[in-house]
Amino acid sequence: MKLGLVIDLDTCVGCHACATACKQWNTSGTIGPLSDQSPYGQDPNGSWLNRIRTFEVNQANTSTALVDNSKSASCGSHTFDLHALATQGESALAGVGSNGSPASKTVHMPMSCMQCEEADCVTVCPTGASYKREEDGIVLVDQDKCMGCNLCSWACPYGARELDEEQGVMKKCTLCVDRIYDQNLPESERKPACVLSCPTSSRVFGDFDDPTSEVSKLTVERAGQALMPELGYKPTNRYLPPREKGEVAAMVKTNEPALSKLKKWANRMIAR
Amino acid sequence: MKPAFSVLFFTVTSGIGYGLLMWLVGMQLVSGSVASATEVDVNNFLIMGFVGLTLATLGLLSSTLHLANPKNAWRAFSRFRTSWLSREGVFSLLYYPIILTYAFLVYLNGGELNSLSQIIGALSVLVALSVVICTGMIYASLKPIRQWHNPLVTPLYLLFSFTSGALLYVSMYAGLENEVPRSITILFLVLLVVSFISKMLYFRSIGKPDGATIGSATGFSQAHVRLLDAGHNADTFLTKEFVFDAGAMKLLRLRYLMIILAFVAPLSLVIAAMAWDIAPAIFLAMLSLYSGLFLERWLFFAEARHVVRLYHGDQRA
């Protein structure tokens, strides 16, 4: 088994519910508590296993790896772009679609442990506290063995590991290992807390080794991507690119006389 | 990366300590006895060895200061097969019985080496070498930090250990015997020049744009991507540990200062000391090299940019 998450960047609204549910579940779970430093003070601080970053993704004049570009709204004709550059000045630098609207998207990207196949965080660990389970590929930290040297967090490119300042041990996503195998829970609830809490169902949990699982199918259908594959960590989690949406028709302002507008409105009302 | 004083002190100081011990034992092995190699008697050899071992030990102790949960430090010896940090721990502990046995044998035989002490001495040099290599590899094995994941990092750790150890040897010799030993001083100068060239090559190598970008970090490899919101309004563990900005201009000035302290000043002072046989210049050179190496190690951390910074506003690693 190769358990992991698929995260749909198309539907994620960046509400942070996954991070909050994660914190709530795991602070009382097997690796808990997840301590906070001055949670009600000036600089609230603490260990989180899931963090959401928001990016502006500007696809103007480029072919985007994540987005199917065949009928892209972002690439207007060359002459149009020149025209846009000339007429819109500054805003053209930020990217302009073919209908003149900005071609940038706001993308929310929740990040937790990628459950890498080549998990360097495990190999650098001198105490054997970090380990990767052979049966399902989940990377865990044995809280009783960790000496808090931070080396695993240095070895992780995804920022998935955070030191608990109060206990001096490393915390990371467990993929809710204390939920997903719990026979006392109904089967529909044997999923990580982040997946259950997601209001837009942007997070899907499953076995990537099984080609018929939902995560495998989604990855194939929507070209799920790994982050920073060039580092060679072979992360398990996949991110689904935003779907290509049709252009939203721009409202056209006409110079119709007020009287004809009023007639049209009256006709519409009578027709009802 | 945030420079932690305990780690800077550890890598510089234990590097010098192991360097000194490697020279001491290595030269004796080459010439067959304490006296003919170092032209110091057994007592002075023991004093120098003691200083070397103390420095190495102080460094190692300091390295445990940055542990958040030191009560589990004893477990760090258990992952020798995979972890460079574990290997460093094992070799550094293994070193003590070996070097102490060697010193004891040398002392027993009045400074002469027999085949047993030769074997143990050679072993001690190998283990000391291994400790320094492990220290370098801890950094060089970290792929998310391209300024560390560089083929020059481990050779540089070794070179600085050799160089600073040689100068400490020369200055202790000058202090104990009141003269400058020629052969090892020349060796030191050669090593210093080689270290300088390697460090400049390293700067050149990390200066090239390379590594992950915000595009590969987010998967939008062709688009222009910019962080809008990191998701938190105070510092996090990640920003505290990985985001350290000293400013490009300050870093450049400190590079120049480092080159002066670690290379130019020791080189000219040692040449002056050799030419006019003034021993005090050697001590000044040692002081300058030590502070220069501290600065070198500080820069090694301050200039290292972890890829997790891409998720906190950086455009490239």
Side-chain angles (χ1 to χ4, degrees):
Chain A
M1 271 206 299
K2 196 166 101 181
L3 296 181
L5 298 170
V6 158
I7 293 162
D8 189 345
L9 299 180
D10 191 48
T11 52
C12 176
V13 291
C15 68
H16 290 235
C18 51
T20 318
C22 164
K23 179 96 169 169
Q24 187 273 336
W25 177 264
N26 284 296
T27 200
S28 44
T30 49
I31 60 155
L34 299 176
S35 79
D36 287 313
Q37 284 73 48
S38 89
Y40 304 104
Q42 275 283 312
D43 295 309
N45 225 304
S47 315
W48 291 74
L49 314 182
N50 188 9
R51 290 190 184 271
I52 295 94
R53 283 107 190 184
T54 302
F55 296 98
E56 177 195 68
V57 179
N58 192 327
Q59 305 151 58
N61 305 322
T62 55
S63 56
T64 311
L66 269 179
V67 174
D68 168 24
N69 226 52
S70 53
K71 45 186 191 303
S72 170
S74 61
C75 295
S77 69
H78 191 60
T79 43
F80 182 86
D81 285 338
L82 283 177
H83 173 68
L85 260 168
T87 54
Q88 304 210 2
E90 282 293 309
S91 72
L93 292 174
V96 175
S98 60
N99 63 355
S101 62
S104 63
K105 285 176 198 294
T106 301
V107 174
H108 307 285
M109 184 169 274
M111 288 178 68
S112 51
C113 174
M114 306 282 164
Q115 318 293 351
C116 301
E117 283 180 68
E118 298 291 332
D120 272 14
C121 55
V122 172
T123 48
V124 301
C125 177
T127 62
S130 283
Y131 61 103
K132 186 173 171 68
R133 293 173 22 137
E134 208 158 304
E135 62 268 36
D136 53 17
I138 300 179
V139 179
L140 293 171
V141 180
D142 186 333
Q143 303 288 301
D144 294 332
K145 289 185 181 168
C146 177
M147 66 173 189
C149 69
N150 284 356
L151 191 56
C152 58
S153 71
W154 293 6
C156 174
Y158 306 107
R161 288 168 168 256
E162 300 195 10
L163 188 83
D164 188 313
E165 285 181 28
E166 209 162 286
Q167 298 161 74
V169 288
M170 202 49 80
K171 299 287 164 84
K172 71 174 290 299
C173 163
T174 64
L175 216 56
C176 286
V177 71
D178 43 5
R179 268 199 84 93
I180 58 177
Y181 294 111
D182 190 345
Q183 301 289 320
N184 295 323
L185 291 171
E187 209 171 325
S188 61
E189 283 182 30
R190 287 180 212 159
K191 287 174 182 172
C194 58
V195 174
L196 288 171
S197 64
C198 181
T200 58
S201 305
S202 301
R203 305 177 71 96
V204 185
F205 163 72
D207 176 13
F208 283 84
D209 266 351
D210 173 8
T212 63
S213 69
E214 200 186 349
V215 286
S216 299
K217 282 191 208 152
L218 278 172
T219 305
V220 172
E221 279 165 22
R222 296 201 32 216
Q225 289 225 343
L227 303 186
M228 282 190 278
E230 71 271 26
L231 289 181
Y233 282 64
K234 294 189 191 161
T236 300
N237 289 7
R238 289 288 181 274
Y239 286 81
L240 306 181
R243 288 186 186 88
E244 194 49 54
K245 298 184 180 73
E247 280 179 39
V248 178
M251 197 183 80
V252 185
K253 202 178 178 188
T254 56
N255 291 324
E256 240 178 317
L259 188 66
S260 112
K261 273 194 202 167
L262 184 69
K263 276 183 188 167
K264 275 186 184 169
W265 178 79
N267 282 336
R268 268 209 314 275
M269 296 317 279
I270 293 163
R272 274 186 176 177
Chain B
M1 300 291 292
K2 190 188 74 188
F5 178 80
S6 59
V7 178
L8 306 187
F9 181 81
F10 157 54
T11 55
V12 174
T13 310
S14 66
I16 292 181
Y18 287 118
L20 173 67
L21 288 161
M22 278 190 266
W23 284 121
L24 263 180
V25 178
M27 305 247 304
Q28 288 165 12
L29 289 177
V30 171
S31 62
S33 81
V34 172
S36 59
T38 57
E39 295 162 30
V40 292
D41 61 21
V42 181
N43 287 336
N44 283 349
F45 156 68
L46 290 177
I47 292 172
M48 289 165 85
F50 178 76
V51 169
L53 203 59
T54 308
L55 288 175
T57 309
L58 281 177
L60 290 169
L61 286 177
S62 146
S63 76
T64 62
L65 288 179
H66 88 284
L67 299 182
N69 192 22
K71 75 171 179 344
N72 277 344
W74 62 274
R75 291 185 187 272
F77 306 109
S78 67
R79 287 300 180 272
F80 185 83
R81 281 172 54 199
T82 50
S83 166
W84 286 105
L85 182 53
S86 190
R87 287 172 198 159
E88 185 192 42
V90 169
F91 283 127
S92 62
L93 211 65
L94 197 65
Y95 189 65
Y96 287 95
I98 296 174
I99 193 71
L100 289 175
T101 312
Y102 176 77
F104 184 64
L105 286 176
V106 167
Y107 179 72
L108 270 189
N109 295 325
E112 294 302 311
L113 296 186
N114 56 27
S115 54
L116 181 64
S117 49
Q118 266 171 338
I119 291 169
I120 293 178
L123 201 63
S124 84
V125 174
L126 279 179
V127 173
L129 212 60
S130 308
V131 178
V132 181
I133 290 174
C134 288
T135 308
M137 282 309 292
I138 289 173
Y139 300 103
S141 66
L142 295 172
K143 279 182 259 173
I145 306 160
R146 70 175 183 89
Q147 290 82 356
W148 290 358
H149 189 59
N150 183 302
L152 281 168
V153 163
T154 308
L156 273 168
Y157 267 86
L158 265 180
L159 275 170
F160 283 130
S161 174
F162 287 150
T163 311
S164 57
L167 186 58
L168 185 58
Y169 182 98
V170 171
S171 46
M172 288 204 69
Y173 185 93
L176 292 166
E177 305 281 326
N178 215 8
E179 71 168 270
V180 182
R182 250 175 202 275
S183 55
I184 186 152
T185 311
I186 290 165
L187 204 62
F188 160 75
L189 291 174
V190 173
L191 278 169
L192 193 68
V193 172
V194 175
S195 308
F196 175 73
I197 294 168
S198 310
K199 192 68 194 180
M200 292 307 112
L201 287 174
Y202 168 79
F203 280 146
R204 213 177 85 107
S205 160
I206 65 165
K208 289 176 194 155
D210 188 20
T213 62
I214 183 100
S216 65
T218 55
F220 297 92
S221 47
Q222 300 298 311
H224 183 262
V225 184
R226 173 171 80 95
L227 180 77
L228 290 180
D229 188 71
H232 43 81
N233 46 15
D235 271 345
T236 68
F237 169 76
L238 299 175
T239 59
K240 281 188 275 185
E241 190 77 5
F242 300 118
V243 182
F244 180 84
D245 279 309
M249 208 53 217
K250 188 179 167 191
L251 287 177
L252 193 66
R253 288 199 189 110
L254 287 173
R255 267 193 193 184
Y256 289 131
L257 182 63
M258 185 275 284
I259 290 170
I260 292 169
L261 283 174
F263 300 110
V264 179
L267 189 80
S268 22
L269 283 166
V270 167
I271 288 175
M274 269 177 85
W276 298 290
D277 214 24
I278 30 175
I282 299 274
F283 305 133
L284 266 180
M286 185 66 232
L287 210 66
S288 174
L289 180 65
Y290 188 65
S291 46
L293 285 186
F294 236 93
L295 193 53
E296 187 269 337
R297 224 42 60 85
W298 186 89
L299 280 167
F300 181 69
F301 273 79
E303 293 187 324
R305 301 172 81 85
H306 195 285
V307 291
V308 91
R309 295 178 55 133
L310 297 171
Y311 301 112
H312 294 89
D314 276 16
Q315 291 294 309
R316 56 168 52 254

